[in-house]
Amino acid sequence: MLKQMSRMKRTNKYILLIFAGLMALSLVLFYAPSRNQGAAAAASNTEVVARVRGDEITVGDLNRQKEAYAQQFGGQISLAQLGLSERTMLSGLIRGKVVAQEAERLGLSASDAEVAAKIREQFKDPSGKFVGIERYRDSVTARFGNVARFEDALREEIAAEKLRAFVTAGVTVSEKEVEEDWRRKNTTFDLTYAAVTADKLAEKIQPSEEELQKYFEEKKAEFRFLEPQKKIRYLFVDQAKAGARLNISDEDLRAAYDQIKPENKVAGVRAQQIVLKVADPKLDQEVLAKATRLAAEMRGGDTLIVSADKFAEVARGNSEDPATAKNGGWLPAPVRQRAGSKDPAQQQLFQLVEGQINDPVKYGNAYYIFRRGESIEKTFEEAKPELLVSQRNTRGYRAAADIAQRAAARLKETKDFQKVAQEFAAEANMGAAEMVKETPFVKPGDSVPSIGSNPTFEEAIKPLENAGDIGDRVAVSNGFAVPALVEKREPRIPEFAEVREQVVARVKQDRARAQLEQTAKELANAATPAALKSAAEQLGLKTATLPQYRISTPIEEAGTSPEADEAILALKGGEVSRRPVKIGDVWVVVAADKRADPDPTLFAAQRSQLTDTMLSTRRANVFEDYVAAIRARLEREDEIRIDDDVLKRAGTADALEAPGAP
């Protein structure tokens, strides 16, 4: 948990870095003199929202920052859409004050000459010359309210750059560190894992009646019914049965077929493929590079559309699937869409438009490039079974709704369920007995037999307060219901029998949670990946194999963590980790069927870029840690004060309007 919190804090640092970057970028943007008067007034609001060791941050400062964001993202946009809040933006402004004050303390403030040079650099016309004093003043006044305010902000930006350079001057990275990080990120594993979860362990636990009774007696107050319980009798009209008696002609179906849009009539698509096999895992990146190059050459620019002849030529010369290569990559039959299929052709082709090719995708031990050809239209006869189901569902729904509406009116007249059921049974294509149903005592949130957890049904029975009250027709699973109240019970502590299922679930979960870590440790004693998988499956636990796994990639539903990364990196081929790791609420035991270390010769080509990236990241982290430490000290000393009432008033505007937005 501590490490997860640490990672969250690091993420927040990057949010603030992006925020600070946008602040700096906003300084160079011209603001049209024709901006509306309301925006100008907001930017000039001098009400103080925060103080940093005496330096003030005003509502105007906050509003100007909102406008800078609006310029970056265009038009009207809310802070919520950006994933930001007023407090987050204010935090960025406070950070700017902290940095400026620290720079001043260290003698790193910006000089007048440095400010002037920065202004001349930022305010240039198309020829590269300074725009002139008048235009500069007009632009800055429109954007910041006055020149002094802008130049103060620019002075803080320059000081921040100087402080960052000062603080991070000694930060370095060694080639060994860079290469080690590269190795970590590019080592691949055929990973087998077992996920130990409370839900799966609970399925195997069978508590005794004595244990259940004891648990209930000790915690019966926790099972108290806080809402009234109601027993409901209802008249049910089955949608499918009401629809089954309807006659739907071929003419009706053909009319429905003619209404289907062409893109929804696609039965399949013709397709071409290029297959490049990975003979050795060490050659994976080399094969991917070749596949990427071929795709780029076929596109020949920004377009994703490639002619069939051009693709065929490349396929004949490069594809390693003999059966299709000799035919220009054409697959022998149209590819039909099937839900849930793992076939790479099905996963890729239906995301493309005709003539488009995909980026290389790996499946098994090969990389694939596909080109989507012409679509094959589904004939009326092919579509007829689906159309019949669709039409019967649609008409059955309408018929059931109409029957239920009329039945509700008759129930309110007669108060007699049996009589009304007999009146409508034939029309509903049901027996009278199967139309009348009754629930046990239920309360909001309960799963009702045959209906499930249904907020709409709960709302329909909510007004029923007296025995015999009849409600309106309501849609439920597979049809419609007309409910009536049989009996009502007020909130109370229930008897054991009423909540036995909940008690069983609680006992199972409690015992399962207590067993999680021990079970994971026992699984970690498996001698091989196969033994781990076998032992986990005997316990009913989920196991899976993840080919070509790299660290920091989520382990499916469990996610990932630094501890998991370290446990995986320590594995050799055929080993099981002796140390299970906890990711969130899941304990995971990992094993490596295979391990493939990256080819060290590939590192040389990326060394310079990787070094720059790591150095930049490390310097950013060091600087943010430095600023965060100063800020934390100022907060402890009560040198940073925020007026929450003013901040709340400042946040009432829901949208940020860009200058000149209509």
Side-chain angles (χ1 to χ4, degrees):
M1 179 59 75
L2 290 174
K3 291 198 175 184
Q4 286 178 331
M5 291 176 66
S6 175
R7 294 175 74 183
M8 289 175 66
K9 290 178 181 177
R10 185 72 72 192
T11 300
N12 287 337
K13 289 179 184 177
Y14 289 121
I15 292 174
L16 289 174
L17 279 172
I18 294 170
F19 180 85
L22 282 171
M23 287 180 65
L25 183 59
S26 71
L27 298 177
V28 305
L29 295 173
F30 281 45
Y31 201 82
S34 61
R35 63 184 290 211
N36 62 64
Q37 296 301 312
S44 301
N45 190 326
T46 59
E47 190 173 14
V48 177
V49 69
R51 286 182 172 84
V52 181
R53 203 161 21 183
D55 285 353
E56 296 178 348
I57 297 174
T58 67
V59 173
D61 295 328
L62 198 56
N63 286 332
R64 284 190 296 276
Q65 196 54 45
K66 291 180 188 178
E67 292 168 4
Y69 267 77
Q71 281 191 312
Q72 298 306 314
F73 294 96
Q76 292 194 0
I77 188 167
S78 68
L79 291 181
Q81 288 173 306
L82 294 173
L84 297 172
S85 66
E86 298 283 343
R87 191 168 293 275
T88 301
M89 297 187 77
L90 178 60
S91 181
L93 293 172
I94 290 173
R95 175 191 177 279
K97 292 294 184 186
V98 170
V99 170
Q101 291 175 1
E102 179 66 5
E104 184 178 3
R105 186 185 72 82
L106 295 173
L108 298 173
S109 299
S111 66
D112 291 343
E114 288 171 322
V115 173
K118 194 80 169 179
I119 290 170
R120 291 184 176 278
E121 177 187 337
Q122 292 181 358
F123 290 83
K124 294 178 180 178
D125 62 21
S127 69
K129 295 181 179 180
F130 178 57
V131 297
I133 294 296
E134 290 302 318
R135 188 176 172 190
Y136 160 69
R137 285 177 177 170
D138 288 344
S139 177
V140 167
T141 301
R143 180 69 180 86
F144 282 87
N146 60 60
V147 172
R149 187 179 291 128
F150 168 75
E151 293 184 355
D152 285 345
L154 193 58
R155 196 178 299 276
E156 288 186 3
E157 180 193 347
I158 296 170
E161 292 172 356
K162 293 168 74 173
L163 180 62
R164 179 190 295 270
F166 175 78
V167 171
T168 63
V171 177
T172 60
V173 295
S174 67
E175 182 174 322
K176 183 178 179 181
E177 288 177 290
V178 176
E179 184 171 4
E180 179 60 28
D181 184 64
W182 175 81
R183 287 181 180 277
R184 286 168 58 88
K185 293 176 179 176
N186 289 279
T187 299
T188 60
F189 301 83
D190 284 352
L191 195 72
T192 292
Y193 77 91
V196 186
T197 63
D199 287 344
K200 288 296 183 181
L201 290 183
E203 293 174 5
K204 297 287 185 178
I205 295 172
Q206 298 298 327
S208 67
E209 285 299 314
E210 182 181 358
E211 182 181 3
L212 296 174
Q213 287 278 3
K214 180 181 178 183
Y215 188 93
F216 174 72
E217 290 300 326
E218 291 174 350
K219 301 177 182 289
K220 62 169 57 178
E222 297 178 16
F223 293 93
R224 183 183 188 89
F225 293 151
L226 301 176
E227 299 275 356
Q229 289 179 291
K230 295 179 179 180
K231 178 181 284 190
I232 301 295
R233 182 178 295 120
Y234 63 96
L235 191 75
F236 176 64
V237 182
D238 189 304
Q239 173 185 334
K241 291 185 177 181
R245 64 188 299 274
L246 300 175
N247 180 38
I248 301 175
S249 67
D250 274 9
E251 289 183 5
D252 293 333
L253 295 177
R254 188 169 289 280
Y257 174 79
D258 291 339
Q259 294 298 314
I260 300 174
K261 295 179 179 179
E263 60 266 27
N264 294 328
K265 286 184 181 179
V266 175
V269 297
R270 295 201 65 208
Q272 293 168 278
Q273 70 174 15
I274 294 171
V275 183
L276 300 178
K277 296 180 180 179
V278 182
D280 187 320
K282 293 181 179 179
L283 301 175
D284 185 274
Q285 293 301 306
E286 185 177 324
V287 176
L288 173 58
K290 179 180 178 180
T292 303
R293 176 177 56 78
L294 291 177
E297 289 175 352
M298 283 188 286
R299 289 168 178 153
D302 294 334
T303 180
L304 300 181
I305 305 300
V306 175
S307 71
D309 289 343
K310 188 172 187 178
F311 193 96
E313 181 182 349
V314 176
R316 290 189 186 98
N318 295 275
S319 183
E320 296 172 7
D321 177 43
T324 57
K326 64 183 179 182
N327 294 324
W330 287 104
L331 296 178
V335 177
R336 297 180 181 272
Q337 193 167 16
R338 295 183 179 86
S341 173
K342 294 184 178 180
D343 185 327
Q346 291 191 26
Q347 290 182 343
Q348 296 292 314
L349 285 169
F350 291 94
Q351 308 300 317
L352 306 175
V353 299
E354 185 173 335
Q356 187 179 0
I357 69 172
N358 67 303
D359 291 325
V361 59
K362 190 174 185 184
Y363 183 75
N365 68 336
Y367 281 95
Y368 290 80
I369 305 172
F370 294 103
R371 177 186 176 276
R372 176 167 174 164
E374 66 272 20
S375 299
I376 307 300
E377 185 176 282
K378 190 179 296 184
T379 66
F380 170 70
E381 290 302 323
E382 289 175 318
K384 187 175 177 179
E386 297 173 17
L387 289 169
L388 184 59
V389 171
S390 174
Q391 288 294 303
R392 202 172 291 286
N393 283 340
T394 300
R395 298 189 185 191
Y397 180 89
R398 294 173 185 163
D402 177 63
I403 294 169
Q405 185 69 26
R406 289 183 284 117
R410 286 291 291 144
L411 269 176
K412 290 176 181 179
E413 292 174 8
T414 66
K415 308 291 185 181
D416 190 332
F417 270 78
Q418 295 302 326
K419 180 179 180 179
V420 173
Q422 289 170 357
E423 288 180 13
F424 288 92
E427 190 177 353
N429 197 26
M430 298 174 69
E434 67 176 322
M435 292 183 71
V436 181
K437 297 177 179 291
E438 195 167 286
T439 74
F441 282 96
V442 295
K443 62 184 186 306
D446 284 352
S447 180
V448 181
S450 302
I451 291 178
S453 182
N454 189 319
T456 306
F457 185 74
E458 290 177 7
E459 284 298 312
I461 67 175
K462 189 175 181 179
L464 308 181
E465 292 294 330
N466 302 303
D469 285 354
I470 296 173
D472 296 325
R473 174 197 73 183
V474 58
V476 296
S477 177
N478 302 318
F480 290 85
V482 182
L485 180 64
V486 177
E487 185 180 347
K488 178 181 176 182
R489 291 178 178 174
E490 296 301 328
R492 62 197 167 82
I493 293 178
E495 297 297 323
F496 170 72
E498 296 179 89
V499 292
R500 185 182 182 281
E501 289 186 8
Q502 293 98 303
V503 175
V504 170
R506 286 271 296 273
V507 170
K508 285 186 171 185
Q509 281 291 319
D510 287 356
R511 282 179 51 182
R513 280 192 286 267
Q515 296 173 13
L516 282 174
E517 184 174 3
Q518 184 57 38
T519 301
K521 288 180 178 179
E522 291 172 2
L523 286 176
N525 291 325
T528 65
L532 168 64
K533 191 170 184 178
S534 176
E537 289 174 348
Q538 288 178 14
L539 293 173
L541 301 173
K542 177 175 180 178
T543 63
T545 299
L546 302 176
Q548 297 294 301
Y549 176 87
R550 296 172 190 254
I551 64 164
S552 299
T553 304
I555 302 176
E556 297 187 346
E557 78 286 345
T560 188
S561 71
E563 292 84 354
D565 289 345
E566 295 308 316
I568 293 166
L569 281 170
L571 292 172
K572 298 177 181 177
E575 284 188 343
V576 178
S577 174
R578 295 293 172 241
R579 178 171 56 86
V581 292
K582 189 177 183 184
I583 307 175
D585 294 329
V586 181
W587 282 89
V588 178
V589 183
V590 292
D593 294 285
K594 293 181 182 178
R595 172 184 177 128
D597 292 304
D599 183 350
T601 61
L602 298 177
F603 171 71
Q606 306 173 50
R607 181 189 294 111
S608 178
Q609 180 182 350
L610 293 170
T611 300
D612 289 345
T613 299
M614 179 178 280
L615 183 58
S616 177
T617 300
R618 183 168 296 181
R619 284 175 172 168
N621 289 337
V622 167
F623 185 62
E624 288 308 310
D625 287 342
Y626 181 85
V627 174
I630 297 171
R631 179 169 178 169
R633 176 174 56 79
L634 293 177
E635 287 173 344
R636 287 194 304 270
E637 296 171 355
D638 200 27
E639 293 284 1
I640 296 178
R641 298 185 179 184
I642 297 173
D643 191 321
D644 290 318
D645 291 336
V646 174
L647 180 61
K648 186 175 181 180
R649 289 197 298 274
T652 54
D654 183 59
L656 309 178
E657 186 176 343

